[in-house]
Amino acid sequence: MEFESEEAAKIFYDDYARQVGFVMRVMSCRRSERDGRIIARRLGCNKEGYRVNKRDKSGAIRKPKPVTREGCKAMIYLKNSKSGKWVVAKFEREHNHPLVVSPREARHTTDEKDRKIQELTLELRNKRRLCAAYKEQLTAFLKIIEEHTDQISMKVQNVMNNLKEYECVHQELQRAGDVSI
């Protein structure tokens, strides 16, 4: 089989996986040493391989998660031909585990994922609007505080000027000997 693009091959294999009853996973790719572009891609069953037991910081093995990898060999290997098309170089059909009857049981469909992404995007957009409104309110509040601070500073300066003026008048009156204040 040939595909016009790598993406077309992925879509085809993903549709095939859903029909058969397994979940497709992008496994690996091979890149050109000259320009770094992808020249081969392996797609397969999500139950390919085995999970490695991970250790925590103290060296103890973490509580094992449910088994999701079963060493399945089902996969498709695609190569980018000189013509630019993607050609199936190898196809392994057999799975070593039971296949899921309904694709919905296999995983969330793209539609469900898209809906969740849309929900989260909308929520993020609303939160950003709310943050922008809060920022606007805070900016307005800070401007009011700044204006009040300036007014208070001017009043304090006026009081200080009046006190200096009063002290000058008071000193002149003291020198003149007319201190009744």
Side-chain angles (χ1 to χ4, degrees), residues 121-180:
T121 302
L122 182 62
E123 185 179 341
L124 180 62
R125 194 175 299 136
N126 290 337
K127 296 289 183 188
R128 283 184 177 159
R129 283 185 192 138
L130 190 60
C131 285
Y134 288 154
K135 182 178 179 182
E136 193 175 308
Q137 289 175 348
L138 284 172
T139 303
F141 182 68
L142 288 173
K143 186 175 179 182
I144 291 168
I145 289 175
E146 188 176 335
E147 289 171 359
H148 283 289
T149 302
D150 290 344
Q151 289 174 359
I152 290 172
S153 295
M154 288 174 55
K155 287 179 181 179
V156 167
Q157 188 64 44
N158 286 340
V159 168
M160 289 177 61
N161 289 342
N162 287 339
L163 279 174
K164 285 180 184 177
E165 199 175 305
Y166 171 77
E167 286 176 353
C168 287
V169 169
H170 184 63
Q171 286 175 355
E172 283 180 27
L173 289 174
Q174 270 186 338
R175 274 188 245 140
D178 202 10
V179 182
S180 58

Side-chain angles (χ1 to χ4, degrees), residues 15 19 28 78 80-81 93 104 118 129-130 146 154:
D15 288 343
Q19 288 174 6
S28 62
L78 304 156
N80 193 346
S81 66
R93 178 181 305 204
R104 289 205 177 269
Q118 287 172 350
R129 283 185 192 138
L130 190 60
E146 188 176 335
M154 288 174 55

Side-chain angles (χ1 to χ4, degrees), residues 23-126:
V23 177
M24 188 240 356
R25 206 174 92 199
V26 177
M27 312 292 261
S28 62
C29 69
R30 188 166 162 240
R31 294 185 178 272
S32 166
E33 291 180 6
R34 281 187 292 167
D35 57 12
R37 68 184 174 85
I38 296 173
I39 57 174
R41 172 74 73 188
R42 190 165 62 98
L43 309 170
C45 178
N46 72 324
K47 293 187 182 272
E48 180 266 347
Y50 296 96
R51 177 178 291 136
V52 177
N53 287 332
K54 294 186 179 178
R55 297 180 182 271
D56 61 15
K57 292 177 183 174
S58 67
I61 295 176
R62 289 192 222 162
K63 180 182 172 187
K65 295 180 181 175
V67 174
T68 56
R69 302 282 189 93
E70 298 182 17
C72 184
K73 302 282 187 203
M75 64 92 180
I76 187 172
Y77 187 73
L78 304 156
K79 286 186 177 181
N80 193 346
S81 66
K82 291 180 183 178
S83 68
K85 294 189 179 200
W86 286 79
V87 179
V88 176
K90 186 177 180 183
F91 175 66
E92 181 63 48
R93 178 181 305 204
E94 298 303 315
H95 294 263
N96 67 346
H97 56 89
L99 297 173
V100 179
V101 177
S102 165
R104 289 205 177 269
E105 294 175 30
R107 68 169 171 179
H108 296 295
T109 63
T110 305
D111 295 338
E112 290 175 52
K113 287 181 183 178
D114 288 344
R115 188 173 60 246
K116 186 66 175 173
I117 289 170
Q118 287 172 350
E119 286 174 14
L120 292 172
T121 302
L122 182 62
E123 185 179 341
L124 180 62
R125 194 175 299 136
N126 290 337

